[in-house]
Amino acid sequence: MTSAWPLWLVGVVLAATAVVIVLAGIRLTRVADTLAARTGLGDAVGGALLLGAVTSLPGIVTTATGSLGGDPGFGLANPVGGVALQTVWLAIADLVYRRANLEHSAASLQNILQALVLTALLAVPVIAYATPTLSIGWVHPMTLAIPLFYGYGLVLLKRVAADPMWQATRTGTTETDEDEDEGGELAQPTSRLWGELAALGLVVGVAGFFVGQTGLRFVALTGLPSDLTGFTLTTAITSLPELVVLITAVRMGALTLGVGNIIGGNVFDTLMIAVADGFYLDGPIYRDAGPSSLVLLGGTVLIIAILAGGLVVRERKGIGFEGIAIPGVWVGTVALAAVAG
């Protein structure tokens, strides 16, 4: 569809879809915040399930498109890059939320657990990289473990939400689910809210389709390396919903929901690694993705480990060590991947 589009038209379409994503993302945050409270999921788990899944739709489309197109580097780098860049968004949100360190205020055992689950899920493709010749059909057997681990992670999150064995120390700047303003949304019927969530998800998904298609056209026109492009440029475009939802949630004061959206969305994005392998029909994607993709994967694991450390340490003021280290590691990872490529 976009194969004949000139660069200027690609830019116009990207700008238009960005506006749609921004407007839909603002409303999506408020609806999900209300549903998280009404269903009893809480903001951390609600961010993982409701927002994480919906805002990941653009990345799913782009990942599947790249893998079906026979580009293993792009197919694998897009979901891994989404995890890395969406974590960098937290440093941006720290600048917006000036009252205290964001990871301090959004204290949540569920978010810490999600960061640990995410680290475990990112370890799975590392194992697959070390055994590139194994396959079931054209898919690596470790790929099949990703959705299983993801499902068990959700079970653990639900268990922790129902009966937490650890609790964060309350301070004057700690925000909890009970503290956050519902904005009057609870007056609307639950069925209407679910319908609105589905409609907003459809809008974001369609916008994501155009973002993915035009993003890939941009790659074709510029001739940039596909793996680095998937990790940076295309990921930045498809991750706009997460950024919009995060900034909106922080400005609403729904801090746990905002952080939970990023971490939960990242956990959901690991499922796209399975999508990338499944849609790459020439064999296990880890066999053909190249060494630079492994560098990108390792750097992303380090970024998530730093985030988990920030959630545990909870510095009170400023953006914290994690707010400085995460963007720095991201830049270093891109540079090392360029050398490895």
Side-chain angles (χ1 to χ4, degrees):
M1 180 184 65
T2 63
S3 58
W5 287 7
L7 188 57
W8 69 267
L9 183 56
V10 169
V12 170
V13 174
L14 286 176
T17 51
V19 171
V20 172
I21 288 171
V22 168
L23 296 177
I26 293 172
R27 181 62 180 174
L28 184 63
T29 307
R30 299 185 181 278
V31 172
D33 189 27
T34 302
L35 286 173
R38 187 172 295 188
T39 59
L41 289 172
D43 277 353
V45 180
L49 290 175
L50 302 178
L51 285 176
V54 174
T55 56
S56 293
L57 289 174
I60 294 174
V61 174
T62 303
T63 297
T65 301
S67 292
L68 275 176
D71 192 330
F74 181 87
L76 187 59
N78 196 72
V80 175
V83 172
L85 191 59
Q86 285 155 203
T87 308
V88 174
W89 293 156
L90 289 174
I92 297 176
D94 256 332
L95 298 176
V96 174
Y97 187 72
R98 297 180 177 273
R99 184 181 176 192
N101 176 266
L102 181 60
E103 284 74 26
H104 175 94
S105 298
S108 167
L109 179 59
Q110 295 100 307
N111 282 339
I112 295 174
L113 179 58
Q114 286 194 96
L116 296 175
V117 170
L118 178 57
T119 303
L121 286 168
L122 290 172
V124 174
V126 174
I127 298 173
Y129 254 95
T131 55
T133 59
L134 298 180
S135 66
I136 299 177
W138 67 86
V139 176
H140 196 286
M142 290 306 299
T143 294
L144 305 179
I146 293 177
L148 296 178
F149 290 171
Y150 175 82
Y152 187 65
L154 292 181
V155 172
L156 293 178
L157 282 172
K158 189 65 176 177
R159 184 187 303 175
V160 166
D163 186 23
M165 301 302 292
W166 294 87
Q167 288 188 335
T169 301
R170 288 293 302 271
T171 69
T173 55
T174 301
E175 301 287 346
T176 65
D177 291 357
E178 291 79 12
D179 297 328
E180 294 166 0
D181 183 12
E182 306 287 346
E185 292 280 7
L186 287 176
Q188 298 185 26
T190 302
S191 58
R192 179 178 176 182
L193 291 174
W194 282 114
E196 188 171 354
L197 183 72
L200 290 168
L202 179 62
V203 170
V204 172
V206 172
F209 172 77
F210 282 98
V211 168
Q213 290 291 320
T214 52
L216 290 174
R217 176 60 179 164
F218 181 86
V219 171
L221 289 171
T222 59
L224 295 171
S226 61
D227 51 1
L228 288 180
T229 301
F231 192 81
T232 56
L233 178 62
T234 309
T235 291
I237 297 169
T238 57
S239 296
L240 276 176
E242 283 82 0
L243 178 61
V244 171
V245 170
L246 173 62
I247 298 300
T248 303
V250 170
R251 293 177 66 88
M252 287 170 51
L255 306 181
T256 308
L257 178 71
V259 175
N261 164 56
I262 291 295
I263 305 177
N266 284 346
V267 175
F268 189 88
D269 280 355
T270 60
L271 293 176
M272 286 195 285
I273 298 176
V275 171
D277 194 19
F279 278 80
Y280 182 68
L281 305 181
D282 295 334
I285 197 169
Y286 319 99
R287 182 194 64 194
D288 301 333
S292 58
S293 294
L294 185 58
V295 173
L296 298 175
L297 185 60
T300 302
V301 173
L302 180 56
I303 286 172
I304 299 304
I306 294 171
L307 172 62
L311 290 170
V312 173
V313 173
R314 298 180 63 207
E315 294 192 23
R316 291 176 182 266
K317 299 294 183 181
I319 63 174
F321 73 90
E322 71 280 1
I324 298 173
I326 287 173
V329 171
W330 185 86
V331 172
T333 298
V334 172
L336 287 174
V339 173

